[in-house]
């Protein structure tokens, strides 16, 4: 008898430092849907989550805590993790809940929308550097303001008279422009890398044997391809693509956008990748 490697979809909701986890796996646990977009730009990553079969008490707790009228103004964090029983789960998305609402009957569920760095959009900072300063040092300060980890893989360089005044989140764009690099907030990590270059040691091989769905398509910047969700596909990482039906697109690419569409009980379990061609 074939053993089914059940998918796992977990959602964590953090309120006042406490994380409550809600999980669905096949026909067990909760019915959960999660979709969203992650991009290697200063545009915020977004996610939409629907959970059904929550108890009334839990549903009301989440709706109350994430209400814009709640006097508790601390960030309400949303975490999405996905994987399979054989491999475990990996963190796919982290952001702040910006909206929540109940679904319509008969299956009363809970809808939530979240964005990365949403809580930092309202913070205003003023920063100025030395006459000449390393890009890595500036990136470290920006990461600190964002309360994020830092992955710095860009060629370090001297930046003259760096200054910024405005919303904390907008520093990501200012950093990219000042250094001529790719800078983006990937969940809880500020990533800074050479423009158009892939992150080191993050390679995903895509072909018919590794979960590619359908035929890859050419885009203005490179390629668009759909794959089954896996734990090895990272925003900013490299893909090595091989297509039997469209070999003209074979080659190496850098991922700049990932759309995810996952469900614990229904068909979706996909990543739609857009990537630019590596020279």
């Amino acid at each position: 008898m074939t053993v089914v490697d059940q998918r796992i979809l977990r959602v964590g909701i953090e309120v006042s430092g406490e994380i409550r986890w809600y999980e669905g796996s096949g026909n067990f646990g909760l019915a959960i849907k999660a979709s969203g977009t992650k991009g290697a730009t200063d545009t915020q990553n977004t996610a939409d989550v629907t959970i059904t079969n929550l108890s009334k008490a839990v549903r009301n707790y989440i709706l109350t805590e994430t209400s814009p009228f709640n006097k508790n103004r601390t960030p309400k964090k949303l975490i999405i993790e996905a994987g399979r029983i054989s491999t475990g789960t990996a963190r796919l998305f982290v952001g702040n809940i910006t909206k929540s609402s109940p679904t319509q009957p008969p299956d009363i569920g809970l809808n939530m929308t979240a964005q990365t760095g949403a809580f930092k959009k309202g913070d205003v900072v003023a920063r100025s550097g030395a006459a000449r300063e390393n890009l890595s040092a500036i990136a470290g300060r920006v990461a600190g303001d964002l309360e994020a980890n830092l992955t710095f893989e860009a060629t370090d360089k001297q930046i003259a008279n760096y200054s910024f005044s405005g919303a904390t989140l907008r520093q990501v764009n200012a950093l990219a422009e000042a250094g001529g690099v790719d800078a983006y907030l990937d969940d809880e990590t500020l990533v800074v890398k050479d423009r158009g270059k892939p992150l080191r040691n993050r390679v995903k091989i895509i072909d018919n044997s590794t979960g590619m769905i359908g035929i890859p398509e050419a885009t203005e910047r490179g390629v668009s391809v759909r794959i089954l969700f896996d734990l090895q596909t990272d925003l900013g990482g490299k893909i090595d693509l091989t297509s039997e039906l469209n070999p003209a697109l074979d080659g190496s690419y850098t991922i700049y956008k990932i759309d995810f569409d996952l469900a614990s009980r229904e068909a979706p379990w996909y990543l739609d990748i857009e990537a630019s061609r590596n020279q």
Side-chain angles (χ1 to χ4, degrees):
M1 183 177 67
T2 302
V3 178
V4 177
D5 190 7
Q6 295 280 10
R7 60 182 68 170
I8 302 172
L9 188 54
R10 306 177 72 216
V11 175
I13 300 172
E14 182 180 7
V15 176
S16 299
E18 177 188 359
I19 300 179
R20 298 190 179 190
W21 288 98
Y22 307 95
E23 181 174 311
S25 177
N27 292 323
F28 301 97
L30 300 169
I32 302 175
K33 299 178 184 178
S35 61
T37 299
K38 304 177 68 171
T41 68
D42 64 328
T43 302
Q44 293 168 269
N45 297 344
T46 61
D48 292 293
V49 171
T50 300
I51 307 177
T52 55
N53 302 331
L54 289 170
S55 68
K56 181 178 180 181
V58 170
R59 189 170 64 250
N60 288 342
Y61 166 79
I62 296 172
L63 288 169
T64 300
E65 289 295 335
T66 59
S67 166
F69 305 109
N70 189 345
K71 294 182 180 180
N72 176 4
R73 304 307 298 166
T74 58
K76 312 305 189 300
K77 187 180 292 184
L78 178 77
I79 305 168
I80 302 173
E81 296 183 349
R84 293 187 180 272
I85 291 176
S86 64
T87 60
T89 61
R91 190 154 292 187
L92 176 64
F93 176 88
V94 180
N96 301 131
I97 297 173
T98 57
K99 182 173 63 175
S100 63
S101 61
T103 64
Q104 296 293 330
D107 295 326
I108 300 178
L110 180 66
N111 292 329
M112 291 171 285
T113 298
Q115 292 181 312
T116 54
F119 197 69
K120 292 295 182 180
K121 291 175 70 174
D123 289 349
V124 176
V125 298
R127 297 285 183 262
S128 59
R132 300 189 69 83
E133 190 172 15
N134 284 345
L135 178 64
S136 57
I138 298 171
R141 284 203 306 274
V142 174
D145 287 339
L146 293 169
E147 299 180 25
N149 301 314
L150 175 64
T151 295
F152 187 89
E153 293 191 9
T155 302
D156 210 355
K157 63 189 73 172
Q158 294 274 297
I159 305 298
N161 301 315
Y162 175 83
S163 65
F164 175 85
S165 179
T168 302
L169 192 62
R170 295 298 299 169
Q171 286 190 96
V172 178
N173 184 57
L175 180 66
E177 291 181 352
V181 294
D182 289 332
Y184 54 95
L185 188 61
D186 186 7
D187 300 331
E188 296 181 299
T189 300
L190 174 64
V191 179
V192 183
K193 64 182 185 67
D194 290 328
R195 186 160 290 174
K197 301 295 184 183
L199 292 167
R200 295 190 290 268
N201 302 319
R202 304 194 193 184
V203 182
K204 166 66 178 177
I205 296 173
I206 297 180
D207 57 32
N208 290 335
S209 67
T210 60
M212 182 170 67
I213 299 173
I215 303 172
E217 297 181 358
T219 65
E220 290 183 357
R221 295 180 60 179
V223 70
S224 174
V225 60
R226 169 172 283 194
I227 65 171
L228 289 173
F229 172 81
D230 68 10
L231 307 182
Q232 292 82 41
T233 306
D234 293 314
L235 187 66
K238 176 183 175 183
I239 62 172
D240 287 330
L241 174 67
T242 303
S243 172
E244 294 181 3
L245 297 178
N246 196 354
L249 297 181
D250 291 358
S252 171
Y253 299 83
T254 297
I255 300 171
Y256 64 84
K257 183 181 177 185
I258 297 176
D259 292 334
F260 58 90
D261 188 8
L262 309 173
S264 62
R265 296 188 182 180
E266 300 179 17
W269 197 250
Y270 310 128
L271 298 178
D272 288 307
I273 297 169
E274 294 186 29
S276 56
R277 186 87 174 194
N278 295 333
Q279 301 301 318

